[in-house]
Amino acid sequence: MRLALAALVALSGLAQAAPESTPAYPFAFEEVDAGAGVHVFIDTPGHAIVSGNSVVIEGARGLVVVDTGQHPRLTRMMIERIRAITAKPVLYVVNTHWHNDHVAGNALYAGAYPGARFVAHSFTAAMLEQEIAPYAHGGCTRFLERESAPLRAMVDSGKSADGKAIPAARLARLGEVVVDADAGGAECREFDFRGADIAFDERVTLKLGDRDVQVLFLGRANTAGDAIVYLPEARMVITGDVLVHPFPFATQSYIHEWAAVLRRIEAMDADVIIPGHGPVMRDKQYLHLVGDLMESIDAQARKAWRPGMALEDLRAHVDLAGYRARFAGDSAFIGANFDAMAHSAVDRAWQELAGRLEAEGLPRG
């Protein structure tokens, strides 16, 4: 997920329902012991500004941290928890991709562990400099103020952009999104940039003495620089946003290649999967389902495609109703987010087939 108010693209968090009350500080995380010396900090779902899972891998010599979160306050709390768990230093920080909810805490880790080296795929390293660095020193605050302005107008007026009254439940949810934006904007003022020290193209192995942490690039998927972290002896894979629960994120993604990457992960000798968002998984059922979905989108689009076909014509030939039911069940929330994902995914499939693939990047202005 990119740095954005997720509600603006109908991805308003990862909960099936909004919380009944909003605390003064709305964001939190759950700490999960995944076993084998691996701890996971999981974003509490239901917010418009999401934060990627952050994973701590312990070895004899020190620690590897995978992704650093979105919110400075939570990142500092995570660092406190790490220090309570072990006095060992963080030797490496891996950024699975460039989206801000996985990298915004980099500078805090650099300050807490000055010897840490930051690792990312070459594409991700370049995108951090190009897309994330400009959001330091006020850029992030200005971005959130601009993105949230239409929502504030709707909350104040009780009407949507077309002048129609907004239903009470939707209006209440928009109010919660504005609360998230206010909290996120305040935290934006603390944001400082820290990029990569080590950029790799295919793989790099991080040595922790008694264990090797393999950082792999298996192909373009959610982004063009997704890093997969594999712990062979623990039979554990950390996927970043190549896998997200309870529905995929598919903005600016690579649908044809993504399906193949998911199948490569599925073939790995692993029985613990830690996604970019969502719970620790002890089997590959959900991984397989997402692989099926991406293969279906790609296959249907390719079968229907004709040179010169308009995007809306291609949409009419891609039927995902069965998958929507499997992902969402009777959840209106997940269903709406699945629809938004499908809209973006078919758009990207059309761009690929039409030879008009747009570059990744954050909105400017």
Side-chain angles (χ1 to χ4, degrees):
M1 168 88 47
R2 298 176 300 158
L3 171 67
L5 284 177
L8 297 180
V9 289
L11 296 173
S12 55
L14 295 175
Q16 295 188 23
E20 293 183 359
S21 61
T22 303
Y25 181 76
F27 309 119
F29 65 82
E30 175 190 7
E31 182 179 342
V32 175
D33 184 348
V38 177
H39 295 264
V40 188
F41 301 114
I42 300 175
D43 180 36
T44 299
H47 296 289
I49 303 177
V50 299
S51 185
N53 289 343
S54 187
V55 185
V56 182
I57 303 165
E58 185 172 359
R61 292 180 49 240
L63 313 174
V64 172
V65 170
V66 182
D67 289 337
T68 61
Q70 172 84 274
H71 308 294
R73 179 170 172 176
L74 296 189
T75 298
R76 286 192 292 269
M77 292 170 62
M78 292 174 193
I79 291 170
E80 290 176 4
R81 284 296 305 138
I82 291 169
R83 286 174 166 164
I85 293 168
T86 178
K88 296 174 184 176
V90 173
L91 300 178
Y92 301 98
V93 174
V94 177
N95 290 142
T96 59
H97 59 294
W98 65 270
H99 295 169
N100 206 65
D101 58 313
H102 294 259
V103 306
N106 282 8
L108 292 173
Y109 274 94
Y113 298 97
R117 303 278 284 168
F118 287 71
V119 181
H121 183 266
S122 297
F123 175 84
T124 298
M127 290 295 282
L128 291 175
E129 299 289 339
Q130 174 184 313
E131 298 294 324
I132 301 302
Y135 285 86
H137 312 300
C140 173
T141 303
R142 290 189 294 273
F143 173 83
L144 276 179
E145 289 174 348
R146 184 178 72 247
E147 294 292 296
S148 65
L151 299 180
R152 295 178 194 279
M154 287 190 284
V155 170
D156 291 342
S157 68
K159 297 179 180 180
S160 58
D162 60 7
K164 295 180 180 179
I166 301 172
R170 176 62 177 162
L171 191 62
R173 179 54 180 155
L174 290 175
E176 293 170 353
V177 171
V178 170
V179 170
D180 284 357
D182 288 341
E187 291 194 306
C188 272
R189 299 185 186 97
E190 302 180 50
F191 175 71
D192 199 3
F193 176 71
R194 179 61 159 84
D197 302 308
I198 301 170
F200 73 97
D201 291 321
E202 295 183 2
R203 64 169 59 219
V204 63
T205 300
L206 309 178
K207 301 283 189 178
L208 295 184
D210 58 338
R211 77 188 321 170
D212 289 349
V213 177
Q214 298 181 13
V215 187
L216 312 171
F217 176 68
L218 302 180
R220 299 191 301 182
N222 179 53
T223 75
D226 295 307
I228 307 300
V229 178
Y230 180 43
L231 304 176
E233 89 292 341
R235 303 182 67 206
M236 187 178 297
V237 179
I238 303 162
T239 68
D241 282 2
V242 172
L243 188 71
V244 169
H245 184 275
F247 45 81
F249 299 155
T251 303
Q252 299 184 342
S253 300
Y254 304 83
I255 306 305
H256 177 65
E257 296 167 70
W258 195 350
V261 170
L262 288 164
R263 295 312 189 200
R264 291 181 188 119
I265 296 173
E266 194 173 348
M268 295 173 73
D269 182 18
D271 49 25
V272 178
I273 313 294
I274 301 175
H277 298 261
V280 175
M281 302 174 186
R282 303 288 177 176
D283 58 52
K284 296 180 179 177
Q285 291 184 7
Y286 182 77
L287 172 65
H288 184 77
L289 175 61
V290 177
D292 285 351
L293 170 65
M294 293 302 164
E295 285 184 347
S296 181
I297 295 170
D298 180 60
Q300 290 186 63
R302 289 177 181 275
K303 182 178 180 180
W305 170 253
R306 299 293 182 272
M309 177 180 278
L311 171 58
E312 291 308 315
D313 291 338
L314 184 63
R315 287 195 198 287
H317 287 83
V318 179
D319 180 6
L320 300 176
Y323 284 103
R324 188 185 194 279
R326 293 174 68 184
F327 276 86
D330 59 0
S331 170
F333 175 85
I334 297 178
N337 281 279
F338 181 92
D339 292 343
M341 176 281 304
H343 191 275
S344 296
V346 175
D347 188 359
R348 287 297 277 186
W350 178 84
Q351 290 177 31
E352 290 180 15
L353 292 166
R356 298 170 61 177
L357 196 63
E358 296 176 2
E360 296 177 49
L362 290 166
R364 295 284 186 243

Short mmCIF file of all heavy atoms in Angstrom, two decimals, residues 131-166:
data_model
loop_
_atom_site.label_atom_id
_atom_site.label_comp_id
_atom_site.label_asym_id
_atom_site.label_seq_id
_atom_site.Cartn_x
_atom_site.Cartn_y
_atom_site.Cartn_z
N GLU A 131 10.78 8.58 -4.58
CA GLU A 131 9.39 8.76 -4.16
C GLU A 131 9.21 9.09 -2.68
O GLU A 131 8.27 9.80 -2.31
CB GLU A 131 8.58 7.51 -4.50
CG GLU A 131 8.52 7.20 -5.98
CD GLU A 131 7.77 8.27 -6.76
OE1 GLU A 131 6.78 8.81 -6.23
OE2 GLU A 131 8.16 8.57 -7.90
N ILE A 132 10.05 8.52 -1.82
CA ILE A 132 9.85 8.67 -0.38
C ILE A 132 10.65 9.84 0.20
O ILE A 132 10.15 10.57 1.05
CB ILE A 132 10.18 7.36 0.36
CG1 ILE A 132 9.30 6.22 -0.18
CG2 ILE A 132 9.99 7.53 1.86
CD1 ILE A 132 7.80 6.48 -0.04
N ALA A 133 11.86 10.04 -0.26
CA ALA A 133 12.69 11.13 0.28
C ALA A 133 11.98 12.48 0.21
O ALA A 133 12.08 13.28 1.16
CB ALA A 133 14.03 11.18 -0.45
N PRO A 134 11.24 12.80 -0.86
CA PRO A 134 10.59 14.12 -0.91
C PRO A 134 9.52 14.34 0.17
O PRO A 134 9.11 15.49 0.39
CB PRO A 134 9.94 14.14 -2.30
CG PRO A 134 10.76 13.20 -3.12
CD PRO A 134 11.13 12.11 -2.16
N TYR A 135 9.10 13.27 0.84
CA TYR A 135 8.06 13.43 1.85
C TYR A 135 8.61 13.76 3.23
O TYR A 135 7.86 13.95 4.18
CB TYR A 135 7.17 12.19 1.87
CG TYR A 135 6.24 12.19 0.69
CD1 TYR A 135 6.66 11.67 -0.53
CD2 TYR A 135 4.99 12.77 0.76
CE1 TYR A 135 5.84 11.72 -1.64
CE2 TYR A 135 4.16 12.83 -0.34
CZ TYR A 135 4.59 12.30 -1.54
OH TYR A 135 3.79 12.36 -2.65
N ALA A 136 9.93 13.84 3.34
CA ALA A 136 10.53 14.33 4.58
C ALA A 136 10.40 15.86 4.64
O ALA A 136 10.16 16.53 3.63
CB ALA A 136 12.00 13.92 4.66
N HIS A 137 10.55 16.40 5.85
CA HIS A 137 10.61 17.85 6.05
C HIS A 137 9.37 18.57 5.51
O HIS A 137 9.47 19.55 4.78
CB HIS A 137 11.87 18.42 5.42
CG HIS A 137 13.11 17.65 5.78
ND1 HIS A 137 13.53 17.50 7.09
CD2 HIS A 137 13.99 16.93 5.02
CE1 HIS A 137 14.63 16.76 7.11
NE2 HIS A 137 14.92 16.40 5.88
N GLY A 138 8.21 18.05 5.86
CA GLY A 138 6.96 18.73 5.52
C GLY A 138 6.23 18.19 4.32
O GLY A 138 5.04 18.45 4.15
N GLY A 139 6.90 17.45 3.45
CA GLY A 139 6.24 16.93 2.26
C GLY A 139 5.12 15.97 2.59
O GLY A 139 4.05 15.99 1.96
N CYS A 140 5.32 15.14 3.58
CA CYS A 140 4.30 14.17 4.00
C CYS A 140 3.07 14.89 4.53
O CYS A 140 1.93 14.54 4.18
CB CYS A 140 4.90 13.25 5.06
SG CYS A 140 3.74 12.12 5.83
N THR A 141 3.28 15.91 5.36
CA THR A 141 2.15 16.66 5.93
C THR A 141 1.34 17.33 4.84
O THR A 141 0.10 17.27 4.84
CB THR A 141 2.67 17.72 6.92
OG1 THR A 141 3.45 17.08 7.93
CG2 THR A 141 1.52 18.46 7.58
N ARG A 142 2.01 17.95 3.90
CA ARG A 142 1.30 18.61 2.80
C ARG A 142 0.51 17.61 1.98
O ARG A 142 -0.61 17.89 1.55
CB ARG A 142 2.29 19.38 1.92
CG ARG A 142 2.89 20.61 2.60
CD ARG A 142 3.68 21.45 1.61
NE ARG A 142 4.86 20.76 1.11
CZ ARG A 142 6.04 20.78 1.71
NH1 ARG A 142 6.20 21.44 2.85
NH2 ARG A 142 7.07 20.14 1.18
N PHE A 143 1.09 16.43 1.77
CA PHE A 143 0.40 15.39 1.00
C PHE A 143 -0.90 14.97 1.68
O PHE A 143 -1.96 14.93 1.06
CB PHE A 143 1.33 14.19 0.83
CG PHE A 143 0.68 13.00 0.19
CD1 PHE A 143 0.57 12.91 -1.19
CD2 PHE A 143 0.18 11.96 0.96
CE1 PHE A 143 -0.03 11.81 -1.78
CE2 PHE A 143 -0.43 10.86 0.38
CZ PHE A 143 -0.53 10.78 -1.00
N LEU A 144 -0.83 14.69 2.98
CA LEU A 144 -2.02 14.25 3.68
C LEU A 144 -3.07 15.35 3.76
O LEU A 144 -4.28 15.09 3.65
CB LEU A 144 -1.66 13.78 5.09
CG LEU A 144 -1.18 12.33 5.22
CD1 LEU A 144 -0.84 12.02 6.66
CD2 LEU A 144 -2.21 11.35 4.70
N GLU A 145 -2.64 16.58 3.94
CA GLU A 145 -3.60 17.69 3.97
C GLU A 145 -4.34 17.79 2.64
O GLU A 145 -5.56 17.98 2.60
CB GLU A 145 -2.88 19.00 4.29
CG GLU A 145 -2.41 19.10 5.74
CD GLU A 145 -1.58 20.35 5.99
OE1 GLU A 145 -1.19 21.02 4.99
OE2 GLU A 145 -1.31 20.66 7.16
N ARG A 146 -3.60 17.64 1.55
CA ARG A 146 -4.22 17.73 0.23
C ARG A 146 -5.17 16.55 -0.02
O ARG A 146 -6.29 16.72 -0.51
CB ARG A 146 -3.13 17.75 -0.84
CG ARG A 146 -3.67 17.92 -2.27
CD ARG A 146 -2.54 17.98 -3.29
NE ARG A 146 -1.91 16.69 -3.48
CZ ARG A 146 -0.66 16.40 -3.12
NH1 ARG A 146 0.09 17.29 -2.53
NH2 ARG A 146 -0.16 15.19 -3.35
N GLU A 147 -4.73 15.35 0.32
CA GLU A 147 -5.53 14.16 0.06
C GLU A 147 -6.79 14.11 0.94
O GLU A 147 -7.82 13.58 0.52
CB GLU A 147 -4.69 12.90 0.30
CG GLU A 147 -3.54 12.73 -0.67
CD GLU A 147 -4.01 12.45 -2.09
OE1 GLU A 147 -4.62 11.39 -2.31
OE2 GLU A 147 -3.79 13.31 -2.97
N SER A 148 -6.70 14.65 2.15
CA SER A 148 -7.84 14.57 3.06
C SER A 148 -8.82 15.72 2.88
O SER A 148 -9.94 15.65 3.40
CB SER A 148 -7.36 14.54 4.51
OG SER A 148 -6.71 15.75 4.87
N ALA A 149 -8.45 16.76 2.16
CA ALA A 149 -9.32 17.93 2.02
C ALA A 149 -10.71 17.58 1.47
O ALA A 149 -11.73 18.05 2.02
CB ALA A 149 -8.64 18.99 1.15
N PRO A 150 -10.83 16.76 0.41
CA PRO A 150 -12.18 16.43 -0.07
C PRO A 150 -13.00 15.67 0.97
O PRO A 150 -14.23 15.85 1.06
CB PRO A 150 -11.91 15.56 -1.30
CG PRO A 150 -10.51 15.88 -1.72
CD PRO A 150 -9.79 16.19 -0.45
N LEU A 151 -12.35 14.83 1.75
CA LEU A 151 -13.07 14.09 2.79
C LEU A 151 -13.57 15.03 3.88
O LEU A 151 -14.70 14.89 4.36
CB LEU A 151 -12.16 13.02 3.40
CG LEU A 151 -11.64 11.95 2.46
CD1 LEU A 151 -10.75 10.98 3.23
CD2 LEU A 151 -12.78 11.19 1.81
N ARG A 152 -12.74 15.99 4.26
CA ARG A 152 -13.16 16.96 5.28
C ARG A 152 -14.37 17.75 4.80
O ARG A 152 -15.30 18.04 5.56
CB ARG A 152 -12.01 17.90 5.61
CG ARG A 152 -10.82 17.22 6.25
CD ARG A 152 -9.69 18.20 6.52
NE ARG A 152 -8.47 17.50 6.82
CZ ARG A 152 -8.17 16.99 8.02
NH1 ARG A 152 -9.03 17.13 9.02
NH2 ARG A 152 -7.04 16.35 8.22
N ALA A 153 -14.35 18.10 3.52
CA ALA A 153 -15.48 18.85 2.96
C ALA A 153 -16.76 18.03 3.02
O ALA A 153 -17.84 18.55 3.35
CB ALA A 153 -15.17 19.27 1.53
N MET A 154 -16.65 16.74 2.73
CA MET A 154 -17.82 15.88 2.78
C MET A 154 -18.33 15.71 4.20
O MET A 154 -19.54 15.74 4.45
CB MET A 154 -17.51 14.51 2.15
CG MET A 154 -17.39 14.55 0.63
SD MET A 154 -17.31 12.90 -0.11
CE MET A 154 -15.62 12.44 0.26
N VAL A 155 -17.41 15.55 5.16
CA VAL A 155 -17.82 15.41 6.56
C VAL A 155 -18.49 16.69 7.04
O VAL A 155 -19.53 16.66 7.73
CB VAL A 155 -16.60 15.07 7.44
CG1 VAL A 155 -16.96 15.16 8.92
CG2 VAL A 155 -16.11 13.66 7.11
N ASP A 156 -17.94 17.83 6.68
CA ASP A 156 -18.51 19.11 7.12
C ASP A 156 -19.89 19.37 6.52
O ASP A 156 -20.79 19.87 7.21
CB ASP A 156 -17.57 20.26 6.74
CG ASP A 156 -16.28 20.26 7.55
OD1 ASP A 156 -16.26 19.59 8.61
OD2 ASP A 156 -15.31 20.90 7.11
N SER A 157 -20.07 19.01 5.25
CA SER A 157 -21.33 19.30 4.57
C SER A 157 -22.35 18.18 4.68
O SER A 157 -23.55 18.41 4.52
CB SER A 157 -21.06 19.59 3.09
OG SER A 157 -20.63 18.41 2.42
N GLY A 158 -21.86 16.95 4.93
CA GLY A 158 -22.76 15.80 4.92
C GLY A 158 -23.16 15.38 3.53
O GLY A 158 -24.08 14.55 3.36
N LYS A 159 -22.47 15.92 2.52
CA LYS A 159 -22.81 15.61 1.13
C LYS A 159 -21.58 15.16 0.36
O LYS A 159 -20.46 15.61 0.64
CB LYS A 159 -23.43 16.84 0.46
CG LYS A 159 -24.74 17.30 1.07
CD LYS A 159 -25.28 18.54 0.36
CE LYS A 159 -26.59 18.99 0.99
NZ LYS A 159 -27.12 20.20 0.30
N SER A 160 -21.79 14.30 -0.63
CA SER A 160 -20.71 13.86 -1.48
C SER A 160 -20.42 14.92 -2.53
O SER A 160 -21.11 15.95 -2.62
CB SER A 160 -21.07 12.53 -2.16
OG SER A 160 -22.26 12.66 -2.91
N ALA A 161 -19.42 14.67 -3.35
CA ALA A 161 -19.01 15.67 -4.34
C ALA A 161 -20.12 16.00 -5.33
O ALA A 161 -20.15 17.11 -5.88
CB ALA A 161 -17.77 15.18 -5.08
N ASP A 162 -21.04 15.05 -5.56
CA ASP A 162 -22.13 15.31 -6.49
C ASP A 162 -23.34 15.96 -5.82
O ASP A 162 -24.41 16.11 -6.44
CB ASP A 162 -22.57 14.01 -7.19
CG ASP A 162 -23.04 12.95 -6.20
OD1 ASP A 162 -23.17 13.25 -5.00
OD2 ASP A 162 -23.27 11.81 -6.65
N GLY A 163 -23.20 16.34 -4.54
CA GLY A 163 -24.25 17.04 -3.84
C GLY A 163 -25.27 16.15 -3.15
O GLY A 163 -26.20 16.67 -2.50
N LYS A 164 -25.12 14.86 -3.26
CA LYS A 164 -26.07 13.94 -2.64
C LYS A 164 -25.73 13.74 -1.16
O LYS A 164 -24.56 13.74 -0.77
CB LYS A 164 -26.05 12.59 -3.36
CG LYS A 164 -26.55 12.66 -4.80
CD LYS A 164 -26.51 11.29 -5.46
CE LYS A 164 -27.01 11.35 -6.90
NZ LYS A 164 -26.95 10.03 -7.57
N ALA A 165 -26.77 13.56 -0.35
CA ALA A 165 -26.57 13.32 1.08
C ALA A 165 -25.84 12.00 1.30
O ALA A 165 -26.15 10.99 0.63
CB ALA A 165 -27.91 13.32 1.80
N ILE A 166 -24.91 11.98 2.22
CA ILE A 166 -24.14 10.77 2.53
C ILE A 166 -24.86 10.00 3.62
O ILE A 166 -25.22 10.59 4.66
CB ILE A 166 -22.71 11.14 2.98
CG1 ILE A 166 -21.99 11.93 1.88
CG2 ILE A 166 -21.92 9.89 3.34
CD1 ILE A 166 -20.65 12.50 2.31
#
